[in-house]
Amino acid sequence: MKTFLTANDLGNLQSAVHEALELKKNRYAYKQLGENRTLLLVFFNSSLRTRLSTQKAALNLGMNVIVLDVNQGAWKLETERGVVMDGDKPEHILEAIPVMGCYCDLIGVRSFARFEDKEADYSEKLLNQFIHYSGKPVFSMESATAHPLQAFADLITIEEYKTKPRPKVVLTWAPHPNVLPQAVPNSFADFMNEAEVEFVITHPEGYELSERFTRGARVEYDQRKAFEGADFIYAKNWSAFRDPHYGKILSKDRNWTVDSAKMALTDNAYFMHCLPVRRNMIVTDDVIESPRSIVIQEAANREISAETVIRRMLSALG
Ligand code: AN0
Ligand code: CP
């Protein structure tokens, strides 16, 4: 595996989940694989889980890990070609990326959508620059359009907790004060569309996601109706995708907050969220604290999804 951005990059998803669950039983089994190999994690945005779980995964595999927070201590980077660099950015990304590639064997990149240019975001311009100019295999740690390590961990978690062969999984929009990317719901939809689940998306009108990720998945605009009989409720906020509202907040309606009255409509569903979560905006205290909330177990599986991906990338290095 040379890049990791979509569910498709994992090949057969069922086998990938099986591989991950086997790895979880003995996460130190491949300690030799990463010997004298170095992973570089480049963060253009904040992170708690991705930062820790990806490092832990690499350490499990015996790798060395270097973490670069681009906005803390590195030179400010120009990203546009052709710019006269007489401003506040001393270095161009077109030198910085190949230099980063010199010091490592694999690279993970976190770089959120900027919402300045939809085409630049949805063509994964920055991630692709890493792929083309670093000379090293690259995986997304949440890039402009996708967060595949999260969605893979979510799928592993659903596999562990499901009690039916084909559970009903509901992705619900919920309110948030800030503009958030579509990366998490995009990847969740991408993975759920390939998994053995009944997948339903619910959101206010205007919050339709990109067809590239939803691929005809059922959308139910009535949140209560969507929740009926659900086995998993996956909450997330995102900003509008469709023009002319790309990257805009169209609603902060707290009627969409996940509360216990809505959870009562489900088939005793588990509650999931990628975290960080804004309590009493996205979900009430009682729901996230309830025994049916599996947000911590979900976060714990980030180590497993990352280890599975890094192991495959290391094996492909030869
Ligand atoms: C980010 C997002 O919504 O994409 C990261 C989630 C993993 N969340 C925030 O910025 C709060
Ligand atoms: N879920 C997730 O990716 O969290 P961080 O933003 O803290 O890494």
Side-chain angles (χ1 to χ4, degrees), residues 49-50 110 112 142 147 150 176 179-184 236-237 274-276 278 302:
R49 278 143 292 274
T50 305
R110 166 160 288 200
F112 293 172
E142 186 174 338
H147 195 359
Q150 181 65 50
H176 193 283
V179 170
L180 294 193
Q182 296 109 27
V184 170
K236 183 70 184 87
N237 173 268
C274 64
L275 308 180
R278 297 234 179 190
R302 290 293 306 277

Side-chain angles (χ1 to χ4, degrees), residues 173-180 237-238 249 251-252 276 278 281-282:
W173 181 93
H176 193 283
N178 303 330
V179 170
L180 294 193
N237 173 268
W238 62 88
I249 295 173
S251 168
K252 292 185 187 177
R278 297 234 179 190
M281 287 294 294
I282 302 282

